[in-house]
Amino acid sequence: MTAQGIGAPVRRKEDRRFLTGRGNYVGDYHVPGALHLAFVRSIHAHATVSAIDASAARSMPGVVDVLTGDDLEADGVKPIPNRIAFDGSDGRPLPDLPRPALVRDTVRVVGDAVAVVVAETSDAAHDAAEAVHVDYDDRPAVVTMDQARADGAETIWQNAPGNLAYVWASGDAAATEEAFANAAHVVILDLVNNRITANPMEPRLLVVEPDATTGGLIFTLGSQAPHLLRTRLAGLIDIPESQLRIVSPDFGGGFGMRGSTPYPEDIVACWLARRLDRPVRWTGTRHEVLMTDSQARDQETRAELALDGDGRFLALRLHTKANLGAYLIGIGPALPIHLYAPLIAGIYRIGAVDLFIEGIITNTVPTAPYRGAGRPEAAYVIERLADEAAIATGIDRIEIRRRNMYRPEDLPATNVTGLTIDSGDFGAVMDRALDGAAASDFASRRAKSQAVGRYRGLGFATYIESAADGSPTSYESARLRVNPTGSATLHVGTHSHGQGHATAFVQIAADRLGLPIDAIDLAFGDTEREPYGLGTYASRSLVSAGPAIVAATDKVIDKGRHIAAHLLEADVDDVSFADGMFAVAGTNRQASFAEIAEAAYVPHNFPHDRLEPGLDETAFNKVRAATFPNGCHVAEVEIDPCTGVIALVNYVCVDDIGTVINPMIAEAQIHGAVAQGVGQALMELCHYDAETGQFQSATFLDYCMPRAGDLPMIDWSSRPVPTGTNSLGVKGVGEVGTIAAPPAVMNAILDALRPIGVTHLDMPATPDAVWRAIRDAHA
């Protein structure tokens, strides 16, 4: 490891400009003459639009026009489709339930846009939006999954009878039934994984400009996957992809909700910029985006675990109901199948599984990926079961996990759901985490809490996730463009919006080139400038783009060796490269990287007959397989029985994320993800009124998020077992905290309350919920 290379805790390069106010955000981008948009949104969760009267709004000062779904359809603009097609276990194909950009007939969730006001100022647009009168024929709202599946329930879509999108079954039902029949112990849990939303610091906003050069559009917004967004958006607004340029500068948080699926506002803004031949901009209010951003999780599960007399996990039976919301868009409908079900066994050897999942449609916002995407739900189920199994068998909760987890010598191993786990040392990770949390001394700390009338609990959770999207179509790109002076720009198809790519990615290239990291800049987010890439999500950026950076850098070095051989009058096989110098074996002849870079662009001393001028190389990395970050997180809580307030007093995490490129950045990623996972466990909830479908969490007064005071200092350490599935040995880091924190925290709370008879709580474990559980236990 060099002072700035792979493994060095280098401070983030990009922080210099952020801390000095030089960040480049969409809100800072001012386009002269831009029109402003304001959307007229449904106040009903389920209703038929019978009439829209915009006459008063059109006559207001500054208003350019008011348009509806009829105008949109007349111009051939398409709704947002589902991206993944599959047949359910009953043979029925996934129904087509697209999300319209502007609803013409039936609104299916509060906040559906039915009209858009275009005005010269933001104030004029919003004032006029309030003057648009919409007549609705209200219909019954179907809000909960029980309501949706009840006999005689209102049908939300005619092509989805019973409000059922799909049923999906997997595993071996007969083997599972036999294992349960012969089991010494059976543990059953009914679990709720609460609906949450990403709530990024910066709300969604955008600017769209007509491009006089191409006749197309320049669309500036925050997107985690600009190239994929361009591909999908171009088809919806009927524009050649070459005429749609996506520019995604800095933005304040993505977490999956700024992915490659367009939002209705994206489509409307692009359509209007073309239609009016003027720039347009839209900035969502916090109320708007809380109400309309994609939401996540929202599963109800009955989980059953069969064990033998020694505490071995024999079989797992699962019935999960997944709330998909009102529309099937993007990859949201497939998350329970492709990312939740395969991880349900965690790090454990289980003989058989019988998995049954129902995808259910309700009058709520569609669910979509959010940091973790299916993996947190899986870890929550198996780790809650593991604690309950320890209680049922009388076996220590550490020991019961150890008996069932894969050992290093077992790997690689294909688990019961078909995932091939290549590497890890799960027992060592768990031991280090528990040692770091001083678990052996917990009894004395519990006694001290009891002495002052408080309940104390220690909980932990192991986890494993499949990262990097190891599908046959997953890849990433990198281009290294070296300047004649020896500095370079690294262009990537991923996007950096808090992950520290401008440092970690540059460290990879700088390490191989022997350059200081300040000699290399990172470029991303512009579809006209960067090579095509799939973007940043699913903990994939380093796993997929990192090897592409290695390959592009190695191409530059190889070409440099040929140029050096010409300049140093040597055979190319005798030229080596190390520490920024090209050298001829057995001689003192050498040339620096900067000298070779200059020679690559100087025409008078270059081997034109054998090489093209320049030092500019692109590489694509095909992701060979998914990676499996894993770890163990330990939470300790203290509860005030008078108020139900939970203090998270200690949090220790040990993670195997493979090779660590920059430990400072890795730790920061884990801290942020842990905060979000703790938020889900203790306070976050998207709440809808069960009768009307009104969204009741549309402000920060009603949607509670963790603050600094809610978290202790997080103790993190790395216990890496590098993977062999990529050239860097990296596994991914961005989501591990949201996966491990909810079960660790909930297990700690129940450990604190179980002595007084509280055996079950659902997330979020708010003070009110905890206080009621304590009261009921004492009743």
Side-chain angles (χ1 to χ4, degrees):
M1 180 183 75
T2 65
Q4 293 188 319
I6 291 175
V10 179
R11 291 190 178 188
R12 298 195 331 168
K13 289 180 60 177
E14 52 268 56
D15 287 346
R16 300 170 192 168
R17 59 188 181 86
F18 290 136
L19 292 172
T20 55
R22 292 181 289 123
N24 179 29
Y25 294 91
V26 179
D28 300 323
Y29 187 40
H30 299 287
V31 182
L35 298 170
H36 295 258
L37 308 183
F39 288 87
V40 180
R41 300 188 183 276
S42 171
I43 59 173
H44 298 280
H46 198 195
T48 301
V49 179
S50 57
I52 299 176
D53 181 1
S55 56
R58 288 192 177 96
S59 65
M60 294 176 69
V63 173
V64 174
D65 205 350
V66 181
L67 300 104
T68 67
D70 289 336
D71 303 303
L72 198 75
E73 185 177 61
D75 283 356
V77 178
K78 302 178 182 67
I80 305 163
N82 176 41
R83 265 196 2 243
I84 295 180
F86 58 87
D87 291 344
S89 300
D90 56 359
R92 291 194 309 133
L94 188 70
D96 182 27
L97 311 181
R99 187 180 192 177
L102 292 174
V103 175
R104 297 177 59 245
D105 42 27
T106 303
V107 293
R108 293 180 169 88
V109 63
V110 171
D112 266 346
V114 297
V116 60
V117 176
V118 188
E120 297 291 349
T121 67
S122 177
D123 287 346
H126 283 93
D127 288 346
E130 294 183 3
V132 176
H133 182 75
V134 184
D135 287 328
Y136 297 97
D137 294 325
D138 199 10
R139 297 171 59 179
V142 180
V143 184
T144 69
M145 290 187 281
D146 285 345
Q147 290 174 353
R149 298 293 291 140
D151 291 340
E154 178 80 2
T155 299
I156 299 174
W157 291 87
Q158 292 304 311
N159 57 334
N163 298 314
L164 189 63
Y166 62 79
V167 293
W168 184 86
S170 178
D172 188 331
T176 301
E177 182 62 35
E178 182 179 357
F180 272 85
N182 296 320
H185 306 277
V186 172
V187 174
I188 302 174
L189 279 178
D190 290 312
L191 299 170
V192 173
N193 209 287
N194 44 318
R195 178 177 279 239
I196 55 177
T197 187
N199 249 331
M201 184 180 299
E202 178 193 46
R204 285 187 293 121
L205 68 167
L206 55 84
V207 176
V208 188
E209 310 164 72
D211 187 346
T213 302
T214 66
L217 298 173
I218 302 172
F219 185 14
T220 304
L221 82 164
S223 171
Q224 297 172 230
H227 287 95
L228 287 180
L229 177 63
R230 180 184 66 168
T231 298
R232 286 159 188 155
L233 183 57
L236 300 180
I237 62 174
D238 193 26
I239 186 174
E241 198 169 344
S242 59
Q243 293 184 16
L244 178 59
R245 178 183 178 186
I246 304 286
V247 179
S248 181
D250 300 321
F251 61 86
F255 312 121
M257 53 74 59
R258 279 185 162 110
S260 59
T261 300
Y263 278 92
E265 296 85 359
D266 302 340
I267 295 170
V268 170
C270 288
W271 165 60
L272 289 172
R274 293 182 79 194
R275 179 184 175 108
L276 303 175
D277 195 31
R278 284 186 64 178
V280 300
R281 70 182 309 135
W282 171 74
T283 300
T285 66
R286 184 60 66 179
H287 176 82
E288 269 185 302
V289 297
L290 269 167
M291 185 168 51
T292 61
D293 284 354
S294 61
Q295 296 171 2
R297 313 295 195 246
D298 203 351
Q299 292 184 0
E300 297 174 6
T301 295
R302 165 153 285 202
E304 303 173 65
L305 183 65
L307 303 94
D308 68 13
D310 294 324
R312 309 285 181 184
F313 297 171
L314 300 176
L316 174 65
R317 186 158 51 206
L318 200 75
H319 180 187
T320 292
K321 296 185 291 184
N323 190 342
L324 306 179
Y327 304 104
L328 304 186
I329 59 171
I331 65 169
L335 293 179
I337 296 172
H338 294 320
L339 292 177
Y340 164 68
L343 272 298
I344 199 63
I347 61 171
Y348 305 115
R349 299 185 301 272
I350 300 178
V353 294
D354 180 10
L355 311 179
F356 184 76
I357 299 174
E358 295 178 279
I360 298 173
I361 302 157
T362 63
N363 291 121
T364 60
V365 168
T367 49
Y370 167 67
R371 199 170 191 173
R375 284 71 58 94
E377 297 94 311
Y380 189 67
V381 169
I382 194 63
E383 287 302 302
R384 287 289 305 273
L385 279 173
D387 261 26
E388 291 297 320
I391 294 167
T393 60
I395 300 171
D396 178 79
R397 51 187 172 165
I398 301 171
E399 175 58 26
I400 202 167
R401 286 173 168 85
R402 194 183 310 281
R403 289 183 190 182
N404 288 283
M405 64 178 54
Y406 286 103
R407 299 161 299 184
E409 58 267 29
D410 298 330
L411 304 178
T414 301
N415 75 357
V416 69
T417 62
L419 287 180
T420 299
I421 303 169
D422 70 301
S423 61
D425 191 342
F426 310 130
V429 165
M430 181 176 69
D431 289 342
R432 181 184 287 187
L434 291 166
D435 287 345
S440 61
D441 296 329
F442 172 69
S444 64
R445 298 194 296 277
R446 170 175 269 177
K448 290 179 181 178
S449 293
Q450 288 174 337
V452 294
R454 295 176 185 264
Y455 306 135
R456 198 175 191 100
L458 182 77
F460 67 98
T462 67
Y463 75 91
I464 192 168
E465 67 155 321
S466 61
D469 181 22
S471 68
T473 58
S474 184
Y475 64 88
E476 204 46 72
S477 59
R479 175 191 176 195
L480 184 62
R481 181 172 59 84
V482 181
N483 300 312
T485 57
S487 63
T489 301
L490 180 61
H491 299 259
V492 292
T494 56
H495 193 283
S496 183
H497 43 276
Q499 294 83 359
H501 293 174
T503 304
F505 282 8
V506 165
Q507 282 181 262
I508 296 170
D511 193 61
R512 300 183 84 81
L513 294 174
L515 297 178
I517 62 170
D518 286 340
I520 305 174
D521 292 322
L522 184 74
F524 59 88
D526 188 334
T527 58
E528 188 173 277
R529 188 175 61 173
E530 271 60 82
Y532 198 102
L534 303 186
T536 293
Y537 53 90
S539 302
R540 72 181 299 274
S541 294
L542 186 58
V543 176
S544 53
I549 294 167
V550 170
T553 304
D554 286 350
K555 283 185 177 182
V556 165
I557 292 171
D558 186 63
K559 186 172 182 179
R561 288 176 59 246
H562 284 77
I563 298 171
H566 173 76
L567 293 179
L568 301 175
E569 299 179 341
D571 189 284
V572 68
D573 292 336
D574 293 330
V575 177
S576 62
F577 180 75
D579 300 324
M581 299 295 295
F582 294 90
V584 179
T587 76
N588 61 358
R589 285 176 289 163
Q590 60 182 16
S592 68
F593 182 78
E595 290 173 319
I596 296 304
E598 182 181 18
Y601 293 94
V602 176
H604 68 268
N605 193 18
F606 188 85
H608 293 281
D609 56 332
R610 300 192 304 276
L611 296 173
E612 294 179 350
L615 206 52
D616 187 340
E617 298 291 342
T618 297
F620 283 77
N621 170 56
K622 169 68 179 70
V623 178
R624 301 200 305 267
T627 59
F628 293 94
N630 61 87
C632 180
H633 289 207
V634 186
E636 190 166 331
V637 302
E638 189 177 62
I639 301 172
D640 182 346
C642 297
T643 63
V645 171
I646 298 169
L648 181 60
V649 296
N650 194 31
Y651 197 96
V652 176
C653 42
V654 177
D655 298 286
D656 169 12
I657 56 174
T659 302
V660 181
I661 302 300
N662 185 314
M664 184 182 297
I665 292 175
E667 182 172 6
Q669 283 285 295
I670 289 169
H671 283 198
V674 165
Q676 289 175 296
V678 169
Q680 179 178 8
L682 296 183
M683 59 196 74
E684 295 188 42
L685 178 66
C686 291
H687 181 68
Y688 289 84
D689 181 84
E691 292 185 7
T692 65
Q694 292 296 319
F695 186 55
Q696 297 183 326
S697 306
T699 74
F700 284 163
L701 288 174
D702 304 299
Y703 189 97
C704 187
M705 292 187 298
R707 293 169 289 183
D710 297 314
L711 297 163
M713 293 299 294
I714 296 171
D715 182 348
W716 175 74
S717 64
S718 170
R719 211 286 186 180
V721 180
T723 178
T725 60
N726 61 71
S727 58
L728 288 168
V730 294
K731 292 182 176 179
V733 65
E735 297 169 300
V736 301
T738 56
I739 297 169
V745 171
M746 292 302 293
N747 282 343
I749 295 169
L750 287 169
D751 184 61
L753 299 179
R754 197 171 277 112
I756 64 167
V758 176
T759 60
H760 184 77
L761 272 174
D762 283 318
M763 299 187 293
T766 62
D768 178 67
V770 172
W771 179 84
R772 290 176 185 277
I774 294 171
R775 180 199 61 183
D776 293 346
H778 288 315

